[in-house]
């Protein structure tokens, strides 16, 4: 691993440090808690001259993504960040960006949606947008936040992908928590992520159309191209992770990460910052003889179909813990996991644990209770399909 520096920073600041190393041509900034620190730090970097970017303080989140689209259309590397209601305000542009194949990278600070109004974190904002055509990654800690930002540009800008990427950080739990982070040096980042060479751009010498209309005769073909690119992104994500490990000495890529799953009878599947606590609970239960494991979903789009299906073949019960609920049915991540498991001849018992809404702590005791529920289900005891694990009324 080439030398860099160690910094004690929040997840928001880790993202800003990554963006400074990435050197986007255009940064479109609009503040919203708990994302604001990202664009504040980037404004500091532009002001002190350590980052040469066009910094646009726009009037709304919709304008932020629209500005990135315009800049990307003429061949610029771009960055923006948002959260919660701001992400929803961008929804129109999310579909335009993916349909135009603009490789924009955006950080989203996961935060609950109104109403009731809350500034605290859950994953309902980004999980509501799984169908918008963006690739989605979920960071566990500040280090992974920085590393995923670097990988996101390499993946988005790959000529076979050309798809925007959303990197998600749990609000406050990651965005405002300080940790020691290894910040790579600029030379290594330049080696990993060379200057952006757009595969297509608006050019007076070579005119082209962007965001065209397409009627029934051709519209499906455009959607098929998007689908093929998103599916191919699986290979690009794995390749980007391998190259990242070679240059920086950290293996923090790939669609999923298994922990102590080799002989596990039950596993808990989850995403985001709760993974760290869940890993400790797995160790504790393993010491008591329980055959439990953990599966971390690092990417929700593209979805790790084969990896999840393979895990499902080896266990008796599988739980999905998410900070989200699709009202009237179940959690979105749970639906995704069950769809992958349906490829198998025999499915494990599956349970959806909904917890951490609007920032409520997910404790060690909560996680132990989830594993106990799964172990009972593995023995044939009935379990509810969807469990709100932290309701005050029990």
């Amino acid at each position: 691993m080439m030398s860099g520096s160690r910094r004690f920073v929040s997840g928001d600041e880790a993202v800003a440090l990554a963006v400074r190393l990435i050197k986007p041509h255009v940064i479109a900034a609009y503040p919203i808690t708990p994302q604001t620190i990202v664009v504040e730090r980037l404004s500091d970097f532009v002001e002190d001259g350590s980052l040469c970017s066009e910094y646009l303080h726009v009037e709304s989140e919709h304008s932020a993504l629209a500005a990135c689209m315009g800049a990307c259309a003429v061949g610029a590397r771009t960055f923006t960040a948002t959260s919660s209601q701001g992400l929803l305000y961008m929804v129109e542009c999310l579909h335009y960006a993916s349909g135009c194949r603009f490789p924009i990278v955006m950080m989203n600070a996961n935060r609950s949606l109104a109403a009731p109004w809350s500034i605290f974190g859950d994953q309902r904002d980004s999980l509501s947008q799984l169908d918008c055509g963006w690739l989605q990654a979920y960071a566990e800690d500040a280090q992974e936040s920085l590393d995923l930002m670097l990988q996101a540009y390499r993946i988005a800008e790959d000529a076979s992908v050309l798809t925007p990427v959303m990197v998600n950080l749990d609000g406050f739990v990651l965005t405002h928590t300080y940790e020691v982070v290894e910040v790579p040096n600029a030379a290594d980042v330049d080696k990993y992520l060379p200057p952006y060479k757009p595969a297509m751009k608006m050019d007076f010498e070579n005119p082209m159309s962007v965001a065209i209309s397409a009627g029934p005769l051709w519209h499906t073909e455009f959607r098929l191209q998007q689908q093929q690119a998103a599916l191919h992104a699986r290979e690009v994500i794995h390749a980007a992770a391998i190259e990242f490990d070679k240059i920086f000495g950290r293996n923090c890529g790939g669609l999923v990460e298994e922990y102590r799953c080799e002989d596990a009878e039950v596993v808990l599947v989850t995403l985001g910052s709760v993974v760290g606590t869940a890993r400790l609970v797995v160790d504790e239960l393993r010491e008591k003889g329980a055959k439990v494991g953990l599966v971390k979903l690092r990417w929700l789009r593209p979805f790790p179909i084969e990896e999840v299906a393979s895990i499902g073949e080896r266990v008796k019960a599988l739980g999905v813990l998410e900070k989200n609920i699709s009202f009237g049915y179940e959690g979105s991540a749970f639906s995704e996991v069950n769809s992958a498991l349906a490829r198998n001849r025999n499915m494990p018992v599956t349970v959806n644990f909904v917890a951490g809404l609007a920032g409520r702590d997910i404790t060690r005791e909560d996680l132990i209770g989830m594993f106990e529920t799964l172990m009972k289900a593995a023995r044939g005891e009935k379990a509810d399909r969807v469990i709100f694990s932290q309701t005050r009324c029990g």
Side-chain angles (χ1 to χ4, degrees):
M1 179 176 68
M2 303 300 290
S3 62
S5 63
R6 290 166 63 85
R7 301 282 297 273
F8 186 61
V9 295
S10 67
D12 274 345
E13 290 172 321
V15 169
L17 290 170
V19 174
R20 180 166 65 174
L21 290 165
I22 291 161
K23 300 188 287 289
H25 301 101
V26 174
I27 297 167
Y30 191 82
I32 179 171
T33 302
Q35 166 271 123
T36 305
I37 294 171
V38 176
V39 292
E40 285 180 342
R41 293 295 175 270
L42 290 172
S43 71
D44 293 338
F45 297 155
V46 172
E47 181 67 19
D48 67 23
S50 61
L51 173 60
C52 182
S53 292
E54 188 71 28
Y55 188 92
L56 306 177
H57 187 189
V58 296
E59 66 270 23
S60 71
E61 292 89 354
H62 186 284
S63 299
L65 192 47
C68 286
M69 288 167 54
C72 198
V74 295
R77 177 179 283 169
T78 64
F79 172 79
T80 191
T82 192
S83 178
S84 183
Q85 306 300 137
L87 178 65
L88 297 193
Y89 196 16
M90 290 178 168
V91 166
E92 179 187 26
C93 291
L94 292 177
H95 290 265
Y96 266 106
S98 61
C100 291
R101 311 295 296 279
F102 292 143
I104 299 165
V105 173
M106 175 169 66
M107 176 269 199
N108 177 60
N110 284 122
R111 174 184 140 187
S112 189
L113 299 173
W117 186 85
S118 172
I119 64 169
F120 297 104
D122 58 40
Q123 295 157 341
R124 290 185 54 229
D125 52 0
S126 57
L127 289 176
S128 75
Q129 298 306 312
L130 286 176
D131 297 339
C132 72
W134 287 55
L135 306 184
Q136 285 199 24
Y138 290 79
E140 175 185 346
D141 53 27
Q143 184 67 68
E144 191 167 62
S145 302
L146 185 151
D147 295 347
L148 280 174
M149 288 302 303
L150 299 179
Q151 293 180 51
Y153 278 90
R154 184 176 174 117
I155 295 159
E157 294 173 358
D158 187 284
S160 65
V161 178
L162 290 180
T163 300
V165 177
M166 185 188 305
V167 178
N168 295 285
L169 280 67
D170 283 336
F172 289 102
V173 180
L174 286 191
T175 60
H176 285 61
T177 299
Y178 279 69
E179 304 175 58
V180 176
V181 172
E182 297 281 348
V183 181
N185 63 49
D188 288 338
V189 173
D190 290 344
K191 180 180 178 182
Y192 181 74
L193 187 67
Y196 177 43
K197 294 181 179 179
M200 55 183 183
K201 65 177 182 178
M202 298 177 71
D203 186 342
F204 287 126
E205 302 302 322
N206 300 285
M208 62 176 292
S209 297
V210 176
I212 62 172
S213 295
L217 288 177
W218 290 104
H219 201 94
T220 298
E221 282 70 22
F222 282 101
R223 297 301 177 225
L224 178 59
Q225 288 180 354
Q226 282 184 262
Q227 169 73 345
Q228 291 171 334
L231 292 175
H232 180 66
R234 295 173 183 159
E235 298 176 21
V236 178
I237 288 168
H238 285 296
I242 292 169
E243 184 66 16
F244 191 92
D245 191 15
K246 289 180 181 178
I247 295 176
F248 303 107
R250 287 191 299 277
N251 185 355
C252 59
L255 297 169
V256 302
E257 182 179 309
E258 296 184 30
Y259 184 70
R260 306 194 76 166
C261 290
E262 296 81 5
D263 63 340
E265 295 181 353
V266 305
V267 297
L268 186 66
V269 179
T270 191
L271 60 159
S273 58
V274 73
V275 170
T277 306
R279 197 179 283 115
L280 295 175
V281 170
V282 167
D283 289 340
E284 179 181 345
L285 294 176
R286 279 280 178 173
E287 289 177 3
K288 297 177 180 179
K291 292 185 176 181
V292 300
L294 177 68
V295 179
K296 167 181 167 180
L297 295 175
R298 186 178 281 113
W299 293 82
L300 264 291
R301 285 293 183 273
F303 191 78
I305 301 170
E306 289 81 7
E307 292 86 346
V308 170
S310 174
I311 293 162
E313 289 178 339
R314 312 193 308 258
V315 300
K316 297 178 180 178
L318 182 150
V320 178
L321 165 60
E322 59 186 301
K323 303 176 183 180
N324 171 68
I325 181 69
S326 181
F327 301 115
Y329 192 35
E330 58 195 17
S332 300
F334 186 61
S335 294
E336 300 277 322
V337 168
N338 275 291
S339 177
L341 294 177
R343 298 159 64 97
N344 298 340
R345 180 172 300 177
N346 297 308
M347 279 187 64
V349 178
T350 60
V351 181
N352 190 189
F353 300 104
V354 178
L357 298 181
R360 184 175 293 184
D361 288 340
I362 301 175
T363 66
R364 164 185 168 274
E365 290 74 21
D366 292 328
L367 289 160
I368 289 173
M370 294 175 198
F371 277 111
E372 288 176 346
T373 298
L374 291 174
M375 288 186 282
K376 290 177 182 177
R379 295 194 295 267
E381 296 185 31
K382 182 176 174 57
D384 291 338
R385 182 175 175 86
V386 180
I387 299 174
F388 277 72
S389 69
Q390 302 169 309
T391 54
R392 294 192 181 279
C393 61

